[in-house]
Amino acid sequence: MEYTGPGVTSVLAFAGISLLAGCGGGGPGSNVGSGDTAPAAACSNAEETALMNQINSMRTASGKAALPFDTRLIQAARQDASQFGANGVRTFEFGKKYGYGGTSFVGYVNAGFQTAADFWAQAQQAAGTGLTDPVTRDSPFAPRHIGVGAMDQAGGTSRTYAFVLGADPGAAVANGSCDPG
């Protein structure tokens, strides 16, 4: 689904019971977040970690476990943020390109934000239950992993953010590159 707002276009992509791939979790070399958060990837920047922590805080406040990162989903989210910042998302990447498997995904991307908190507040408002249900209710699928991406826009005055939640049944990949290459 595509959403438009004042001067900004965003994309909520939801793939149900049979689409692409992607997921992972914390592990050695990870930075440990605070409170209700899972470990962050060593290759994540501060804004990516902040966004992952906000999503996980919402999950844990709803009685769900925090989602571990998967570097394959971080690669996908960074690709989505980079592509969206440059020319809009033409093909939303859920991680298949990076070897992530599974059948259920949700992702969101938008540009023009100063902070991860600003992006997350707008994402919840724009996407509604299409975004909050997988995060807080594990419906229509139960996500198992998370990937986040934050890219500076031209001029460095704002960022494009993206995240991908996936339900690959395998273990999270925690020691790969976060660079989408």
Side-chain angles (χ1 to χ4, degrees):
M1 295 176 197
E2 188 168 318
Y3 296 90
T4 57
V8 179
T9 302
S10 59
V11 174
L12 168 68
F14 180 72
I17 310 296
S18 63
L19 268 193
L20 303 170
C23 240
S30 297
N31 300 321
V32 176
S34 61
D36 298 336
T37 60
C43 56
S44 291
N45 64 42
E47 287 299 306
E48 291 168 337
T49 300
L51 178 56
M52 187 176 92
N53 288 344
Q54 289 171 2
I55 293 168
N56 276 327
S57 289
M58 184 179 201
R59 277 188 63 78
T60 57
S62 299
K64 303 297 178 191
L67 297 171
F69 73 86
D70 186 303
T71 56
R72 298 168 295 177
L73 291 182
I74 293 171
Q75 290 172 328
R78 285 183 175 177
Q79 176 181 318
D80 291 334
S82 178
Q83 178 182 334
F84 188 84
N87 56 17
V89 172
R90 287 184 169 62
T91 305
F92 205 90
E93 174 58 56
F94 288 109
K96 184 175 184 177
K97 174 179 175 180
Y98 304 106
Y100 188 82
T103 58
S104 298
F105 303 88
V106 65
Y108 189 81
V109 62
N110 203 341
F113 296 93
Q114 298 299 311
T115 68
D118 294 340
F119 166 79
W120 183 236
Q122 187 277 339
Q124 292 173 74
Q125 181 180 18
T129 60
L131 173 62
T132 59
D133 281 0
V135 172
T136 62
R137 296 179 36 187
D138 287 351
S139 172
F141 74 98
R144 293 182 36 91
H145 310 105
I146 187 171
V148 294
M151 306 298 284
D152 285 336
Q153 290 182 244
T157 59
S158 62
R159 291 182 185 88
T160 300
Y161 291 90
F163 71 89
V164 178
L165 306 178
D168 184 318
V173 172
N175 58 358
S177 169
C178 290
D179 180 9

